[in-house]
Coordinates of all heavy atoms in Angstrom, one line a residue:
M1 N 21.7 -14.8 41.0 CA 22.2 -15.8 40.0 C 21.8 -15.4 38.6 O 20.7 -15.2 38.3 CB 21.4 -17.1 40.4 CG 21.9 -18.4 39.8 SD 23.6 -19.0 40.0 CE 23.5 -20.5 39.2
P2 N 22.8 -15.1 37.8 CA 22.5 -14.7 36.4 C 21.8 -15.8 35.6 O 22.2 -16.9 35.7 CB 23.9 -14.3 35.8 CG 24.9 -15.0 36.6 CD 24.3 -15.3 38.0
N3 N 20.9 -15.4 34.8 CA 20.2 -16.3 34.0 C 20.8 -16.3 32.6 O 20.4 -15.5 31.7 CB 18.7 -16.0 33.9 CG 17.9 -17.1 33.1 OD1 18.5 -17.8 32.3 ND2 16.6 -17.2 33.4
I4 N 21.8 -17.1 32.3 CA 22.6 -17.1 31.1 C 21.7 -17.3 29.9 O 21.8 -16.6 28.9 CB 23.8 -18.0 31.2 CG1 24.8 -17.5 32.3 CG2 24.5 -18.1 29.8 CD1 25.9 -18.4 32.7
K5 N 20.8 -18.3 30.0 CA 20.0 -18.7 28.8 C 19.2 -17.5 28.4 O 19.0 -17.1 27.2 CB 19.1 -19.8 29.2 CG 19.6 -21.1 28.6 CD 18.5 -22.2 28.7 CE 19.1 -23.6 28.4 NZ 18.3 -24.6 29.0
E6 N 18.6 -16.8 29.4 CA 17.7 -15.6 29.1 C 18.5 -14.5 28.5 O 18.1 -13.9 27.6 CB 17.0 -15.2 30.4 CG 15.8 -14.3 30.1 CD 15.1 -14.0 31.4 OE1 14.5 -14.9 32.0 OE2 15.1 -12.8 31.8
D7 N 19.8 -14.3 29.1 CA 20.6 -13.2 28.6 C 21.0 -13.5 27.1 O 20.9 -12.6 26.3 CB 22.0 -13.2 29.3 CG 21.8 -12.6 30.7 OD1 20.6 -12.1 31.0 OD2 22.7 -12.6 31.5
I8 N 21.3 -14.7 26.8 CA 21.6 -15.1 25.4 C 20.4 -14.9 24.5 O 20.5 -14.3 23.4 CB 22.2 -16.5 25.3 CG1 23.6 -16.6 26.0 CG2 22.3 -16.9 23.8 CD1 24.1 -18.0 26.1
A9 N 19.2 -15.3 25.0 CA 18.0 -15.2 24.2 C 17.7 -13.7 23.9 O 17.4 -13.3 22.8 CB 16.8 -15.8 24.9
I10 N 17.9 -12.8 24.9 CA 17.7 -11.4 24.7 C 18.7 -10.8 23.7 O 18.4 -10.1 22.8 CB 17.7 -10.7 26.1 CG1 16.5 -11.0 26.9 CG2 17.7 -9.1 25.9 CD1 16.5 -10.7 28.3
E11 N 20.0 -11.2 23.9 CA 21.0 -10.7 23.0 C 20.7 -11.1 21.6 O 20.9 -10.3 20.7 CB 22.4 -11.3 23.4 CG 23.4 -10.2 23.8 CD 24.6 -10.8 24.4 OE1 25.3 -11.5 23.7 OE2 24.8 -10.6 25.6
L12 N 20.3 -12.3 21.3 CA 20.1 -12.8 20.0 C 18.7 -12.5 19.5 O 18.3 -12.8 18.4 CB 20.4 -14.3 19.9 CG 21.8 -14.7 20.2 CD1 21.9 -16.3 20.1 CD2 22.8 -14.1 19.2
E13 N 17.9 -12.0 20.4 CA 16.5 -11.7 20.1 C 15.7 -13.0 19.7 O 14.9 -12.9 18.8 CB 16.3 -10.5 19.1 CG 17.0 -9.3 19.7 CD 16.4 -8.0 19.1 OE1 15.4 -8.1 18.4 OE2 17.0 -6.9 19.4
L14 N 16.0 -14.1 20.3 CA 15.4 -15.4 19.9 C 13.9 -15.4 20.2 O 13.2 -16.2 19.6 CB 16.1 -16.5 20.6 CG 17.5 -16.8 20.2 CD1 18.1 -17.9 21.0 CD2 17.6 -17.1 18.7
D15 N 13.5 -14.5 21.1 CA 12.1 -14.5 21.5 C 11.3 -13.6 20.6 O 10.1 -13.5 20.7 CB 11.9 -14.1 23.0 CG 12.7 -12.9 23.3 OD1 13.6 -12.5 22.5 OD2 12.5 -12.4 24.4
K16 N 11.9 -12.9 19.7 CA 11.2 -11.9 18.9 C 11.5 -12.2 17.4 O 12.6 -12.0 16.9 CB 11.8 -10.5 19.2 CG 11.0 -9.7 20.3 CD 11.3 -8.2 20.2 CE 12.7 -7.9 20.7 NZ 13.2 -6.6 20.2
P17 N 10.4 -12.6 16.6 CA 10.7 -12.8 15.2 C 10.8 -11.4 14.5 O 10.3 -10.4 15.0 CB 9.4 -13.5 14.7 CG 8.4 -13.1 15.7 CD 9.1 -12.9 17.0
A18 N 11.5 -11.4 13.4 CA 11.6 -10.1 12.6 C 10.2 -9.8 12.2 O 9.4 -10.7 11.8 CB 12.5 -10.3 11.4
M19 N 9.9 -8.5 12.2 CA 8.5 -8.1 11.8 C 8.7 -7.2 10.5 O 9.6 -6.4 10.4 CB 7.8 -7.3 12.9 CG 7.6 -8.1 14.2 SD 6.6 -9.6 13.9 CE 5.0 -8.8 13.9
Y20 N 7.6 -7.2 9.7 CA 7.7 -6.5 8.4 C 6.4 -5.6 8.3 O 5.3 -6.0 8.6 CB 7.7 -7.5 7.3 CG 9.0 -8.2 7.3 CD1 9.2 -9.3 8.1 CD2 10.1 -7.8 6.5 CE1 10.4 -10.0 8.2 CE2 11.3 -8.5 6.5 CZ 11.5 -9.5 7.4 OH 12.7 -10.2 7.4
R21 N 6.7 -4.4 7.9 CA 5.7 -3.3 7.7 C 5.2 -3.4 6.3 O 5.9 -3.4 5.3 CB 6.4 -2.0 7.9 CG 5.6 -0.7 7.7 CD 6.5 0.5 7.9 NE 6.9 0.6 9.3 CZ 6.2 1.2 10.3 NH1 5.1 1.8 10.0 NH2 6.7 1.1 11.5
V22 N 3.8 -3.6 6.1 CA 3.2 -3.6 4.8 C 2.7 -2.2 4.5 O 2.0 -1.6 5.3 CB 2.1 -4.6 4.7 CG1 1.3 -4.5 3.4 CG2 2.6 -6.0 4.9
L23 N 3.1 -1.7 3.3 CA 2.8 -0.3 2.9 C 1.9 -0.3 1.7 O 2.1 -1.1 0.8 CB 4.0 0.5 2.6 CG 5.0 0.6 3.7 CD1 6.4 0.5 3.2 CD2 4.8 1.9 4.5
L24 N 0.9 0.6 1.6 CA 0.2 0.8 0.4 C 0.7 2.1 -0.2 O 1.1 3.0 0.5 CB -1.3 1.1 0.7 CG -2.3 -0.1 0.7 CD1 -3.7 0.4 0.8 CD2 -2.1 -1.0 -0.5
H25 N 0.8 2.1 -1.6 CA 1.3 3.2 -2.3 C 0.3 3.9 -3.1 O -0.6 3.3 -3.7 CB 2.5 2.7 -3.2 CG 3.6 2.1 -2.4 ND1 4.7 2.9 -2.1 CD2 3.7 0.9 -1.9 CE1 5.5 2.1 -1.4 NE2 4.9 0.9 -1.2
N26 N 0.4 5.3 -3.3 CA -0.6 6.0 -4.0 C -0.4 5.8 -5.5 O 0.7 5.5 -6.0 CB -0.4 7.5 -3.7 CG -1.6 8.3 -4.2 OD1 -2.7 7.8 -4.2 ND2 -1.4 9.5 -4.6
D27 N -1.5 6.0 -6.3 CA -1.4 6.1 -7.7 C -2.6 7.0 -8.1 O -3.4 7.4 -7.3 CB -1.5 4.7 -8.4 CG -2.8 4.0 -8.1 OD1 -3.8 4.5 -8.7 OD2 -2.8 3.1 -7.3
D28 N -2.6 7.3 -9.4 CA -3.7 8.3 -9.8 C -5.0 7.6 -10.3 O -5.9 8.2 -10.7 CB -3.2 9.1 -11.0 CG -2.1 10.1 -10.5 OD1 -2.1 10.4 -9.3 OD2 -1.3 10.5 -11.3
Y29 N -5.0 6.2 -10.3 CA -6.1 5.5 -11.0 C -7.0 4.7 -10.1 O -8.2 4.5 -10.4 CB -5.5 4.6 -12.1 CG -4.7 5.5 -13.1 CD1 -3.3 5.5 -13.0 CD2 -5.3 6.3 -14.0 CE1 -2.5 6.2 -13.9 CE2 -4.6 7.0 -14.9 CZ -3.2 7.0 -14.9 OH -2.4 7.8 -15.7
T30 N -6.4 4.1 -9.1 CA -7.2 3.2 -8.2 C -8.2 4.0 -7.5 O -7.9 5.0 -6.8 CB -6.3 2.5 -7.2 OG1 -5.2 1.8 -7.9 CG2 -7.1 1.4 -6.4
P31 N -9.5 3.6 -7.6 CA -10.6 4.4 -6.9 C -10.4 4.3 -5.3 O -10.0 3.3 -4.8 CB -11.9 3.7 -7.3 CG -11.5 2.9 -8.5 CD -10.1 2.5 -8.4
M32 N -10.7 5.4 -4.7 CA -10.6 5.5 -3.2 C -11.5 4.4 -2.6 O -11.0 3.8 -1.6 CB -11.1 6.9 -2.7 CG -10.2 8.0 -3.1 SD -10.7 9.6 -2.6 CE -9.3 10.6 -3.0
D33 N -12.7 4.1 -3.1 CA -13.5 3.1 -2.5 C -12.9 1.7 -2.5 O -13.1 0.9 -1.6 CB -14.9 3.0 -3.2 CG -15.8 4.2 -2.8 OD1 -15.4 4.9 -1.8 OD2 -16.9 4.3 -3.3
F34 N -12.2 1.4 -3.6 CA -11.5 0.1 -3.8 C -10.4 0.0 -2.7 O -10.3 -1.1 -2.1 CB -10.9 0.0 -5.2 CG -10.3 -1.3 -5.5 CD1 -11.0 -2.4 -5.8 CD2 -8.9 -1.5 -5.4 CE1 -10.5 -3.7 -6.0 CE2 -8.3 -2.7 -5.6 CZ -9.1 -3.8 -5.9
V35 N -9.6 1.0 -2.5 CA -8.6 1.0 -1.5 C -9.2 0.8 -0.1 O -8.7 0.0 0.7 CB -7.7 2.3 -1.5 CG1 -6.7 2.3 -0.4 CG2 -7.1 2.5 -2.9
I36 N -10.3 1.5 0.2 CA -10.9 1.3 1.5 C -11.4 -0.1 1.7 O -11.2 -0.7 2.8 CB -12.1 2.3 1.6 CG1 -11.5 3.8 1.7 CG2 -13.0 2.0 2.8 CD1 -12.5 4.9 1.6
D37 N -11.9 -0.7 0.6 CA -12.4 -2.1 0.6 C -11.3 -3.0 0.9 O -11.4 -4.0 1.7 CB -13.0 -2.4 -0.8 CG -14.3 -3.0 -0.7 OD1 -15.2 -2.4 0.1 OD2 -14.6 -4.0 -1.3
I38 N -10.1 -2.8 0.3 CA -8.9 -3.7 0.5 C -8.5 -3.6 2.0 O -8.2 -4.6 2.6 CB -7.8 -3.2 -0.4 CG1 -8.1 -3.4 -1.8 CG2 -6.4 -3.7 0.1 CD1 -7.5 -4.8 -2.4
L39 N -8.5 -2.4 2.5 CA -8.1 -2.2 3.9 C -9.0 -2.9 4.9 O -8.6 -3.4 5.9 CB -8.0 -0.7 4.2 CG -6.7 -0.1 3.6 CD1 -6.9 1.5 3.5 CD2 -5.5 -0.4 4.3
I40 N -10.3 -2.9 4.6 CA -11.3 -3.5 5.5 C -11.2 -5.1 5.3 O -11.1 -5.8 6.3 CB -12.7 -3.1 5.1 CG1 -12.9 -1.6 5.5 CG2 -13.8 -3.9 5.8 CD1 -14.2 -0.9 5.1
K41 N -11.1 -5.5 4.1 CA -11.2 -7.0 3.9 C -9.9 -7.7 4.1 O -9.9 -8.8 4.7 CB -11.7 -7.3 2.5 CG -13.1 -6.8 2.3 CD -13.9 -7.4 1.1 CE -15.3 -7.0 1.1 NZ -15.7 -6.3 -0.1
L42 N -8.8 -7.1 3.7 CA -7.5 -7.8 3.8 C -6.7 -7.4 5.1 O -6.0 -8.2 5.6 CB -6.6 -7.5 2.6 CG -7.0 -8.0 1.2 CD1 -5.9 -7.7 0.2 CD2 -7.3 -9.5 1.2
F43 N -6.9 -6.2 5.5 CA -6.2 -5.7 6.7 C -7.0 -5.6 7.9 O -6.6 -5.1 9.0 CB -5.4 -4.4 6.3 CG -4.4 -4.6 5.3 CD1 -4.7 -4.5 3.9 CD2 -3.1 -5.1 5.6 CE1 -3.7 -4.7 2.9 CE2 -2.1 -5.3 4.6 CZ -2.5 -5.1 3.3
H44 N -8.3 -6.0 7.8 CA -9.2 -6.0 9.0 C -9.3 -4.7 9.7 O -9.4 -4.6 10.9 CB -8.8 -7.1 10.0 CG -8.6 -8.4 9.2 ND1 -9.6 -9.1 8.7 CD2 -7.5 -9.1 9.0 CE1 -9.2 -10.2 8.1 NE2 -7.9 -10.2 8.2
K45 N -9.4 -3.6 8.9 CA -9.6 -2.3 9.5 C -11.0 -1.9 9.6 O -11.8 -2.5 8.8 CB -8.9 -1.2 8.6 CG -7.4 -1.4 8.3 CD -6.6 -1.3 9.6 CE -5.1 -1.6 9.4 NZ -4.4 -1.7 10.6
S46 N -11.4 -1.1 10.5 CA -12.8 -0.5 10.6 C -12.9 0.4 9.4 O -11.9 0.9 8.8 CB -13.0 0.2 11.9 OG -12.2 1.4 11.9
L47 N -14.1 0.8 9.1 CA -14.4 1.8 8.0 C -13.7 3.1 8.3 O -13.0 3.7 7.4 CB -15.9 2.0 7.9 CG -16.3 3.0 6.8 CD1 -15.8 2.7 5.4 CD2 -17.8 3.2 6.7
D48 N -13.7 3.6 9.5 CA -13.0 4.8 9.9 C -11.5 4.7 9.7 O -10.9 5.6 9.2 CB -13.3 5.2 11.4 CG -14.6 6.0 11.5 OD1 -15.3 6.2 10.5 OD2 -14.8 6.5 12.6
E49 N -10.9 3.6 10.2 CA -9.5 3.4 10.1 C -9.1 3.3 8.6 O -8.1 3.9 8.2 CB -9.0 2.1 10.8 CG -9.1 2.1 12.3 CD -8.9 0.7 12.9 OE1 -9.2 -0.3 12.2 OE2 -8.4 0.6 14.0
A50 N -9.9 2.6 7.8 CA -9.6 2.4 6.4 C -9.6 3.7 5.7 O -8.8 4.0 4.9 CB -10.6 1.4 5.8
N51 N -10.6 4.5 6.0 CA -10.8 5.8 5.4 C -9.5 6.7 5.7 O -9.0 7.3 4.9 CB -12.0 6.5 6.0 CG -12.5 7.6 5.1 OD1 -12.6 7.5 3.9 ND2 -12.7 8.8 5.7
D52 N -9.1 6.7 7.0 CA -7.9 7.5 7.4 C -6.6 7.0 6.7 O -5.9 7.9 6.2 CB -7.6 7.3 8.9 CG -8.6 8.1 9.8 OD1 -9.4 8.8 9.3 OD2 -8.5 7.9 11.0
I53 N -6.4 5.7 6.6 CA -5.2 5.2 5.9 C -5.3 5.5 4.4 O -4.2 6.0 3.9 CB -5.1 3.7 6.2 CG1 -4.8 3.4 7.7 CG2 -3.9 3.1 5.3 CD1 -4.9 1.9 8.1
M54 N -6.4 5.4 3.8 CA -6.5 5.7 2.4 C -6.2 7.2 2.2 O -5.4 7.5 1.2 CB -8.0 5.4 1.9 CG -8.2 5.6 0.4 SD -8.3 7.3 -0.2 CE -9.7 7.8 0.7
W55 N -6.6 8.1 3.0 CA -6.3 9.5 2.8 C -4.8 9.8 3.1 O -4.2 10.6 2.5 CB -7.2 10.4 3.7 CG -8.5 10.6 3.1 CD1 -9.7 10.1 3.4 CD2 -8.8 11.4 1.9 NE1 -10.7 10.5 2.5 CE2 -10.2 11.3 1.6 CE3 -8.0 12.3 1.1 CZ2 -10.8 12.0 0.5 CZ3 -8.6 12.9 0.0 CH2 -9.9 12.8 -0.2
Q56 N -4.3 9.1 4.1 CA -2.8 9.2 4.3 C -2.0 8.8 3.1 O -1.1 9.5 2.7 CB -2.3 8.2 5.4 CG -2.6 8.7 6.9 CD -2.0 7.6 7.8 OE1 -0.9 7.1 7.7 NE2 -2.8 7.3 8.8
V57 N -2.4 7.7 2.5 CA -1.7 7.3 1.2 C -1.9 8.4 0.1 O -0.9 8.8 -0.5 CB -2.2 5.9 0.7 CG1 -1.5 5.5 -0.5 CG2 -2.1 4.9 1.8
H58 N -3.1 8.8 0.0 CA -3.5 9.8 -1.1 C -2.6 11.0 -0.9 O -2.1 11.6 -1.9 CB -5.0 10.0 -1.0 CG -5.4 11.0 -2.1 ND1 -5.5 10.6 -3.4 CD2 -5.8 12.3 -2.1 CE1 -6.0 11.6 -4.2 NE2 -6.1 12.7 -3.3
E59 N -2.5 11.5 0.3 CA -1.8 12.8 0.6 C -0.3 12.7 0.7 O 0.4 13.6 0.3 CB -2.4 13.4 1.9 CG -3.8 14.0 1.6 CD -4.6 14.4 2.8 OE1 -4.0 14.3 3.9 OE2 -5.7 14.9 2.6
N60 N 0.2 11.5 1.3 CA 1.6 11.4 1.6 C 2.4 10.5 0.7 O 3.6 10.3 0.8 CB 1.8 11.0 3.0 CG 1.1 11.9 4.0 OD1 1.0 13.1 3.8 ND2 0.7 11.3 5.1
G61 N 1.6 9.8 -0.2 CA 2.3 8.8 -1.1 C 2.3 7.4 -0.7 O 2.4 6.5 -1.5
R62 N 2.3 7.2 0.7 CA 2.3 5.8 1.2 C 1.9 5.9 2.7 O 2.0 6.9 3.3 CB 3.7 5.1 1.0 CG 4.8 6.0 1.6 CD 6.1 5.3 1.2 NE 6.8 4.9 2.5 CZ 7.9 4.1 2.6 NH1 8.4 3.6 1.5 NH2 8.4 3.8 3.7
A63 N 1.4 4.7 3.1 CA 1.1 4.6 4.6 C 1.1 3.1 5.0 O 1.1 2.2 4.1 CB -0.3 5.2 4.9
T64 N 1.3 2.9 6.2 CA 1.4 1.5 6.8 C 0.0 0.9 6.9 O -0.9 1.6 7.5 CB 2.1 1.6 8.2 OG1 3.4 2.1 8.0 CG2 2.1 0.2 8.8
C65 N -0.2 -0.3 6.5 CA -1.5 -1.0 6.7 C -1.4 -2.0 7.8 O -2.5 -2.4 8.3 CB -1.8 -1.8 5.4 SG -1.7 -1.0 3.9
G66 N -0.2 -2.4 8.2 CA -0.1 -3.4 9.3 C 1.4 -3.9 9.4 O 2.2 -3.6 8.4
I67 N 1.7 -4.5 10.5 CA 3.0 -5.1 10.7 C 2.9 -6.5 11.1 O 2.1 -6.9 12.0 CB 3.7 -4.3 11.8 CG1 3.9 -2.8 11.4 CG2 5.1 -4.9 12.2 CD1 4.4 -1.9 12.4
Y68 N 3.6 -7.4 10.3 CA 3.4 -8.8 10.4 C 4.7 -9.6 10.3 O 5.7 -9.0 9.9 CB 2.5 -9.3 9.2 CG 1.2 -8.5 9.0 CD1 1.2 -7.4 8.1 CD2 0.1 -8.9 9.7 CE1 0.0 -6.7 8.0 CE2 -1.1 -8.2 9.6 CZ -1.1 -7.1 8.7 OH -2.3 -6.4 8.5
V69 N 4.6 -10.9 10.6 CA 5.8 -11.7 10.4 C 5.9 -11.9 8.8 O 4.9 -11.6 8.1 CB 5.7 -13.1 11.1 CG1 5.7 -13.0 12.6 CG2 4.5 -13.9 10.6
L70 N 7.1 -12.3 8.4 CA 7.4 -12.2 7.0 C 6.4 -12.9 6.1 O 5.9 -12.4 5.1 CB 8.8 -12.9 6.7 CG 9.3 -12.9 5.2 CD1 9.3 -11.4 4.7 CD2 10.6 -13.5 5.1
E71 N 6.0 -14.2 6.5 CA 5.1 -14.9 5.6 C 3.8 -14.3 5.4 O 3.2 -14.3 4.3 CB 4.9 -16.4 6.2 CG 4.5 -17.3 5.1 CD 4.2 -18.7 5.7 OE1 4.1 -18.9 6.9 OE2 4.1 -19.6 4.8
I72 N 3.2 -13.7 6.5 CA 2.0 -13.0 6.4 C 2.1 -11.7 5.6 O 1.2 -11.4 4.8 CB 1.4 -12.6 7.8 CG1 1.3 -13.9 8.7 CG2 0.1 -11.9 7.8 CD1 0.3 -14.9 8.3
A73 N 3.2 -10.9 5.8 CA 3.4 -9.7 5.0 C 3.5 -10.0 3.5 O 2.9 -9.3 2.7 CB 4.7 -9.0 5.5
Q74 N 4.2 -11.1 3.2 CA 4.3 -11.5 1.8 C 2.9 -11.9 1.2 O 2.6 -11.5 0.1 CB 5.2 -12.7 1.6 CG 6.7 -12.3 1.8 CD 7.6 -13.5 1.9 OE1 7.2 -14.6 2.4 NE2 8.8 -13.3 1.5
T75 N 2.1 -12.6 2.0 CA 0.8 -13.0 1.6 C -0.1 -11.7 1.4 O -0.8 -11.7 0.4 CB 0.1 -13.9 2.7 OG1 1.0 -15.0 2.8 CG2 -1.3 -14.4 2.2
K76 N -0.1 -10.8 2.3 CA -0.9 -9.5 2.1 C -0.5 -8.8 0.9 O -1.4 -8.4 0.1 CB -0.7 -8.6 3.3 CG -1.0 -9.2 4.7 CD -2.5 -9.2 4.9 CE -2.8 -9.8 6.3 NZ -4.2 -10.3 6.4
V77 N 0.8 -8.7 0.6 CA 1.3 -8.0 -0.6 C 0.8 -8.7 -1.9 O 0.2 -8.1 -2.8 CB 2.8 -7.8 -0.6 CG1 3.3 -7.4 -2.0 CG2 3.2 -6.8 0.5
H78 N 0.8 -10.0 -1.8 CA 0.4 -10.8 -2.9 C -1.1 -10.7 -3.2 O -1.6 -10.6 -4.3 CB 0.8 -12.3 -2.7 CG 0.4 -13.2 -3.8 ND1 1.2 -13.3 -4.9 CD2 -0.7 -14.0 -3.9 CE1 0.6 -14.2 -5.7 NE2 -0.6 -14.6 -5.2
Q79 N -1.9 -10.7 -2.1 CA -3.3 -10.5 -2.1 C -3.7 -9.2 -2.7 O -4.7 -9.1 -3.5 CB -4.0 -10.8 -0.8 CG -3.9 -12.2 -0.3 CD -4.4 -12.4 1.1 OE1 -4.2 -11.5 2.0 NE2 -4.9 -13.6 1.4
V80 N -3.1 -8.1 -2.3 CA -3.3 -6.8 -2.8 C -3.1 -6.8 -4.3 O -3.9 -6.3 -5.1 CB -2.5 -5.7 -2.1 CG1 -2.6 -4.4 -2.9 CG2 -2.8 -5.5 -0.7
K81 N -1.9 -7.3 -4.7 CA -1.5 -7.3 -6.1 C -2.6 -8.1 -6.9 O -3.0 -7.6 -8.0 CB -0.2 -8.0 -6.2 CG 0.6 -7.6 -7.5 CD 2.0 -8.2 -7.6 CE 3.0 -7.4 -6.8 NZ 4.3 -8.0 -6.9
S82 N -3.0 -9.2 -6.5 CA -3.9 -10.1 -7.3 C -5.3 -9.5 -7.4 O -5.9 -9.5 -8.4 CB -3.8 -11.5 -6.9 OG -4.7 -11.8 -5.9
L83 N -5.8 -8.9 -6.2 CA -7.1 -8.2 -6.3 C -7.1 -7.0 -7.2 O -8.0 -6.7 -7.9 CB -7.6 -7.8 -4.9 CG -8.4 -8.8 -4.1 CD1 -8.7 -8.3 -2.7 CD2 -9.7 -9.2 -4.8
A84 N -6.0 -6.2 -7.1 CA -5.8 -5.0 -7.9 C -5.8 -5.4 -9.4 O -6.5 -4.8 -10.2 CB -4.6 -4.3 -7.6
K85 N -5.0 -6.4 -9.7 CA -4.9 -6.9 -11.1 C -6.2 -7.4 -11.6 O -6.6 -7.0 -12.8 CB -3.8 -8.0 -11.2 CG -3.4 -8.3 -12.6 CD -2.3 -9.3 -12.6 CE -2.0 -9.7 -14.1 NZ -1.4 -11.0 -14.2
A86 N -6.9 -8.2 -10.8 CA -8.2 -8.7 -11.2 C -9.2 -7.6 -11.5 O -10.2 -7.8 -12.3 CB -8.8 -9.7 -10.2
N87 N -9.0 -6.5 -10.9 CA -10.0 -5.3 -11.1 C -9.4 -4.3 -12.0 O -10.1 -3.2 -12.2 CB -10.3 -4.7 -9.7 CG -11.3 -5.6 -9.0 OD1 -12.5 -5.6 -9.1 ND2 -10.7 -6.5 -8.1
G88 N -8.2 -4.5 -12.6 CA -7.6 -3.6 -13.5 C -7.1 -2.3 -13.0 O -7.0 -1.3 -13.7
F89 N -6.6 -2.4 -11.7 CA -6.1 -1.2 -11.0 C -4.6 -1.4 -10.7 O -4.2 -2.5 -10.4 CB -6.8 -0.8 -9.7 CG -8.3 -0.6 -9.9 CD1 -9.2 -1.2 -9.1 CD2 -8.7 0.3 -10.9 CE1 -10.6 -1.0 -9.3 CE2 -10.1 0.5 -11.1 CZ -11.0 -0.1 -10.3
P90 N -3.8 -0.2 -10.8 CA -2.4 -0.4 -10.5 C -1.9 -0.3 -9.1 O -0.8 -0.1 -8.8 CB -1.8 0.8 -11.3 CG -2.9 1.9 -11.2 CD -4.2 1.1 -11.1
L91 N -2.9 -0.5 -8.2 CA -2.6 -0.4 -6.7 C -1.4 -1.2 -6.3 O -1.3 -2.4 -6.7 CB -3.8 -0.8 -5.9 CG -3.7 -0.8 -4.4 CD1 -3.5 0.6 -3.9 CD2 -4.9 -1.4 -3.8
K92 N -0.5 -0.6 -5.6 CA 0.8 -1.3 -5.2 C 1.0 -1.4 -3.7 O 0.7 -0.4 -3.0 CB 2.0 -0.6 -5.8 CG 3.3 -1.3 -5.8 CD 4.4 -0.6 -6.5 CE 5.5 -0.3 -5.5 NZ 6.5 0.7 -6.0
A93 N 1.4 -2.6 -3.2 CA 1.7 -2.8 -1.8 C 3.2 -3.3 -1.8 O 3.6 -4.1 -2.7 CB 0.8 -3.7 -1.1
T94 N 3.9 -2.9 -0.8 CA 5.2 -3.5 -0.5 C 5.4 -3.8 0.9 O 4.6 -3.4 1.8 CB 6.3 -2.5 -0.9 OG1 6.2 -1.3 -0.2 CG2 6.3 -2.1 -2.4
Y95 N 6.5 -4.5 1.3 CA 6.8 -4.7 2.7 C 8.2 -4.4 2.9 O 9.1 -4.4 2.0 CB 6.4 -6.1 3.2 CG 7.3 -7.2 2.5 CD1 8.5 -7.6 3.0 CD2 6.7 -7.9 1.4 CE1 9.2 -8.6 2.5 CE2 7.5 -9.0 0.9 CZ 8.7 -9.3 1.4 OH 9.4 -10.3 0.8
E96 N 8.6 -4.0 4.1 CA 9.9 -3.6 4.5 C 10.2 -4.0 6.0 O 9.2 -4.0 6.8 CB 10.3 -2.2 4.3 CG 9.4 -1.2 5.2 CD 9.6 0.3 4.9 OE1 9.9 0.6 3.7 OE2 9.6 1.0 5.8
L97 N 11.4 -4.4 6.3 CA 11.8 -4.8 7.6 C 11.5 -3.7 8.6 O 11.8 -2.5 8.3 CB 13.3 -5.2 7.7 CG 13.8 -5.7 9.0 CD1 13.1 -7.0 9.3 CD2 15.3 -6.0 8.8
E98 N 10.8 -4.0 9.7 CA 10.4 -3.0 10.7 C 11.5 -2.8 11.7 O 12.2 -3.8 12.1 CB 9.1 -3.5 11.4 CG 8.7 -2.9 12.7 CD 8.3 -1.4 12.5 OE1 8.3 -0.9 11.4 OE2 8.0 -0.8 13.6
G99 N 11.8 -1.6 12.1 CA 12.7 -1.3 13.2 C 14.1 -1.0 12.7 O 14.4 -0.9 11.6
Ligands
TYC1 N1 -5.1 8.6 -5.5 C1 -6.2 7.7 -5.7 C2 -7.3 8.6 -6.3 O1 -7.3 9.8 -6.3 C3 -6.7 7.0 -4.4 C4 -5.7 6.1 -3.9 C5 -5.5 6.0 -2.5 C6 -5.0 5.2 -4.7 C7 -4.6 5.1 -1.9 C8 -4.1 4.3 -4.2 O2 -3.0 3.3 -2.2 C9 -3.9 4.3 -2.8 N2 -8.4 7.9 -6.8

């Protein structure tokens, strides 16, 4: 017996919310320790993970900090921006649709 409701849900992806990738971007002024701190405090990374991501950004220009539903991704970007601004650093975060 075909499960029409389930087929429609899968086709429309009703069971999966859109997800957004939050990226940190490199600049020449934000201290490495500040970036590591942001990754630990806002993105809940371990010290090792935070260190790895910070170096990825430094070397490649950008890296993913996490993948979230839209409202959370927007909040993370806003939090990075406001902490960076409060400390006088140009650190930039953005989000983009995942997948
Ligand atoms: N490039 C910065 C420096 O040399 C460090 C840095 C890393 C800045 C990651 C931003 O998202 C960033 N101090």
